[in-house]
Amino acid sequence: MEQDILLQMQEITKTFPGVKALDKVSLELRRGTVHALMGENGAGKSTLMKCLFGIYTKDSGRIILDGREVSFKNSREALDCGVAMVHQELNQALKRSVMDNIWLGRYPTIAGIAVNERKMVKDTMAIFEELGIKVDPHRIMSTMSVSQRQMVEIAKAVSYHSKVIVFDEPTSSLTEEEVEHLFRIINMLRGRGVGIIYISHKMAEIKRISDYITIMRDGQWVATEPTGNLEMNDIIRLMVGRELTNQFPPKTNIPGEVFLKVEGITGTYNQLRDVGFEARRGEIVGLAGLDSSGRTETLESIFGIRTRKSGKIMLAGKPCLNRNARESIKNGFALLTEERRATGIFGVLNIRENTVISSLKRHKRLGIYLSKKSQKADTQHYIDAMRTKTPTQETKIRALSGGNQQKVIIGRWLLTDPEVMLLDEPTRGIDVGAKYEIYQLILNLANKGKTVLMVSSEMPELLGVCDRIVVMSGGRVAGEVDARNTTQEAIMTLAAKYV
């Protein structure tokens, strides 16, 4: 019915230098529904939502909210009019408290002079209680996990009493339990008549939570259907424009002799306790566990960017100190970090500079200058290999979608020709077609005799890609399983061992 329509975006067009990001895209959102927005990386999903939220100015088209045409100049205007957005890449004041982040720019005051901290705590606790979030309002954001910070961002969006809330890849850093919690919150909002736009690459989630699906490809609208009318194969075909018969490439790697040994690693400033395991040449070893189990800390300790209190790393039978990132790279290690925006990309640099920055020696000529020709050649090789969507190599990396930024970072590390590849959530925010390509790259590394350690929150991914899975719980190794002969239930049982 017409009165149920809450938001209309009509023929929205947006052009950036060298690329048409949106080409007459339309979307209609009804009250009390979850409308999924799907497409490959670079399809224009986030750009469309940023045009709605006032981050980008549309070139043409109309936005009608509650029967009134709007055109927000900035995100504050959008929030004041009842449109909120939970971004894929968190942008928070990490040195401030949880409640500071929720009320930033709209602090309650006493007589318009002093901040009313008592009211701020009370209001924060009321929102958290309503949403079932258990976080201390005084806690400093930087001391929290990515998933906890994500829940704070969701609470902030709800605190605006929004009519429309956009969730951009909200579960990319959440555990299964936290995903269930988020879905309870979304269902509560849906019951109140809030319209939800939900961007995700996780098709099982989309099928479960959404009422309608709009699919985009290359900046254009492709289809809008009730969720029940589309099977997963239909969604994939509409997204990528081709059939994808297998989710994972066939495993062709054959693990050889033990190459990497981690023995008794205990952290100085983290919860790691006596972590130890082995990995072979040509083997893909997964690290599974609940949030805060120590998976990320283990990779970062191996790479030397977290201080080790005790323990050692052996590479091909020889001690390997890895006291810092530079030494680790020299020893043949590479680390793809969990948070690409905070610790992965150099936002002010272009695609080429981000690609070659870890392998500059490769481009030295006569020991005095860097060859632009060889830099361009290497960069283009990985743009083509990863199917990275970018107008040119000169494009600033911050202008790319999150998934395409991830492809650039992976290309950067592949250029260093590492012996040990440490991957922390390598496919977070990556579309289904690009995921397959990344899985194939990981398998290619193993086929070349490289050792791969891979953290992932997606159990099917670990089971489909890895040879063996080390399960962590409470900062310790809870057990190891053969990926070919185990189940998600067995992994979860181990993951809860020391919780």
Side-chain angles (χ1 to χ4, degrees):
M1 294 173 63
E2 194 69 30
Q3 62 265 33
D4 289 334
I5 296 172
L6 176 61
L7 172 73
Q8 290 174 293
M9 301 186 76
Q10 300 175 345
E11 298 198 333
I12 305 298
T13 297
K14 177 65 181 175
T15 304
F16 295 107
V19 62
K20 198 167 197 175
L22 297 173
D23 185 7
K24 295 183 178 179
V25 177
S26 297
L27 179 129
E28 198 171 84
L29 175 67
R30 297 176 181 273
R31 296 180 197 280
T33 64
V34 177
H35 196 120
L37 190 55
M38 301 191 74
E40 290 190 282
N41 296 118
K45 307 180 299 294
S46 295
T47 302
L48 182 65
M49 290 301 99
K50 286 175 181 177
C51 287
L52 167 65
F53 196 55
I55 296 173
Y56 293 154
T57 303
K58 65 186 185 302
D59 297 338
S60 63
R62 300 171 71 214
I63 299 173
I64 300 167
L65 178 66
D66 246 351
R68 182 172 65 91
E69 186 166 351
V70 296
S71 185
F72 304 127
K73 295 183 179 67
N74 51 55
S75 55
R76 184 56 192 260
E77 276 192 16
L79 288 164
D80 289 342
C81 290
V83 177
M85 185 169 177
V86 180
H87 297 271
Q88 177 184 0
E89 307 288 355
L90 299 177
N91 189 14
Q92 297 166 316
L94 296 181
K95 299 300 180 185
R96 304 302 296 268
S97 70
V98 166
M99 62 184 180
D100 277 334
N101 274 269
I102 289 178
W103 304 106
L104 200 63
R106 53 187 178 130
Y107 287 125
T109 59
I110 301 170
I113 302 170
V115 173
N116 189 340
E117 189 162 328
R118 181 176 292 180
K119 177 173 171 50
M120 205 158 62
V121 172
K122 182 182 175 183
D123 290 351
T124 304
M125 289 304 294
I127 295 166
F128 283 0
E129 188 173 342
E130 179 186 23
L131 301 180
I133 295 172
K134 296 176 182 177
V135 175
D136 180 358
H138 295 93
R139 189 168 175 185
I140 302 301
M141 293 294 287
S142 61
T143 67
M144 297 163 61
S145 68
V146 177
S147 62
Q148 288 173 316
R149 287 166 44 205
Q150 183 83 297
M151 295 307 286
V152 170
E153 200 68 12
I154 291 164
K156 181 178 178 180
V158 172
S159 75
Y160 279 93
H161 305 291
S162 307
K163 305 172 193 174
V164 175
I165 302 180
V166 179
F167 290 93
D168 191 354
E169 295 286 351
T171 65
S172 60
S173 58
L174 301 185
T175 63
E176 288 184 21
E177 186 180 342
E178 288 164 335
V179 170
E180 294 299 323
H181 186 183
L182 172 63
F183 285 178
R184 287 195 293 273
I185 292 172
I186 288 175
N187 284 326
M188 179 188 72
L189 294 169
R190 178 159 47 188
R192 292 179 182 175
V194 176
I196 306 287
I197 298 175
Y198 192 95
I199 300 175
S200 178
H201 294 300
K202 298 180 180 179
M203 274 173 284
E205 283 181 10
I206 292 292
K207 289 286 288 179
R208 181 179 162 196
I209 197 68
S210 69
D211 301 294
Y212 297 91
I213 299 175
T214 287
I215 296 168
M216 295 176 64
R217 186 168 70 235
D218 297 329
Q220 297 181 319
W221 175 91
V222 174
T224 297
E225 292 282 348
T227 302
N229 290 0
L230 294 172
E231 297 300 324
M232 288 193 185
N233 287 340
D234 300 324
I235 297 170
I236 294 170
R237 178 175 44 78
L238 290 167
M239 276 175 56
V240 303
R242 62 187 189 278
E243 298 285 349
L244 276 181
T245 52
N246 296 309
Q247 190 176 356
F248 303 103
K251 294 184 67 61
T252 53
N253 60 310
I254 302 172
E257 73 279 6
V258 172
F259 183 60
L260 173 70
K261 268 190 180 182
V262 175
E263 299 179 359
I265 287 185
T266 297
T268 305
Y269 303 110
N270 59 63
Q271 61 174 335
L272 294 186
R273 295 291 177 270
D274 197 30
V275 172
F277 56 86
E278 297 178 348
R280 300 174 179 276
R281 283 191 182 276
E283 186 178 31
I284 304 167
V285 178
L287 290 181
L290 302 173
D291 191 46
S292 302
S293 62
R295 301 169 305 172
T296 292
E297 290 85 349
T298 298
L299 292 194
E300 291 179 350
S301 295
I302 293 171
F303 196 65
I305 57 175
R306 280 189 184 265
T307 309
R308 299 189 298 271
K309 185 177 180 181
S310 60
K312 59 184 179 178
I313 300 164
M314 305 290 288
L315 196 65
K318 297 178 181 177
C320 188
L321 296 178
N322 284 9
R323 289 167 293 199
N324 52 54
R326 180 175 290 182
E327 188 173 304
S328 298
I329 294 169
K330 189 177 178 182
N331 289 334
F333 288 75
L335 171 65
L336 182 78
T337 57
E338 180 182 17
E339 292 188 74
R340 59 176 163 258
R341 182 174 179 181
T343 56
I345 66 167
F346 296 88
V348 297
L349 301 183
N350 63 31
I351 307 302
R352 186 179 65 253
E353 291 161 339
N354 269 275
T355 301
V356 303
I357 199 162
S358 294
S359 55
L360 292 176
K361 280 186 180 179
R362 180 184 171 95
H363 306 288
K364 269 191 177 180
R365 298 295 182 269
L366 305 174
I368 55 173
Y369 76 97
L370 296 173
S371 166
K372 186 166 276 193
K373 184 179 178 181
S374 72
Q375 290 179 58
K376 283 183 174 180
D378 278 350
T379 302
Q380 196 58 48
H381 172 77
Y382 282 104
I383 286 175
D384 295 341
M386 305 290 291
R387 297 189 190 180
T388 307
K389 290 182 180 175
T390 176
T392 70
Q393 295 186 13
E394 307 297 327
T395 302
K396 294 282 191 287
I397 193 170
R398 64 188 176 198
L400 300 189
S401 67
N404 282 301
Q405 290 176 3
Q406 187 81 316
K407 292 178 181 181
V408 173
I409 303 168
I410 292 172
R412 172 201 300 167
W413 286 119
L414 292 176
L415 264 177
T416 67
D417 192 25
E419 292 300 321
V420 179
M421 191 72 155
L422 310 173
L423 303 171
D424 199 347
E425 302 286 3
T427 65
R428 179 200 269 178
I430 301 285
D431 65 73
V432 64
K435 273 187 176 183
Y436 189 93
E437 291 158 12
I438 289 173
Y439 298 150
Q440 189 63 63
L441 283 167
I442 293 170
L443 188 63
N444 291 346
L445 283 170
N447 279 326
K448 291 177 183 176
K450 311 294 186 182
T451 301
V452 181
L453 300 186
M454 174 176 155
V455 167
S456 176
S457 299
E458 296 185 39
M459 292 288 182
E461 182 169 87
L462 290 173
L463 293 169
V465 175
C466 300
D467 300 298
R468 201 159 39 89
I469 300 170
V470 174
V471 186
M472 300 199 65
S473 177
R476 292 182 274 177
V477 172
E480 293 184 10
V481 293
D482 186 327
R484 293 177 179 84
N485 304 309
T486 193
T487 63
Q488 293 189 40
E489 291 76 15
I491 293 171
M492 289 305 296
T493 300
L494 285 171
K497 187 173 181 179
Y498 299 123
V499 174

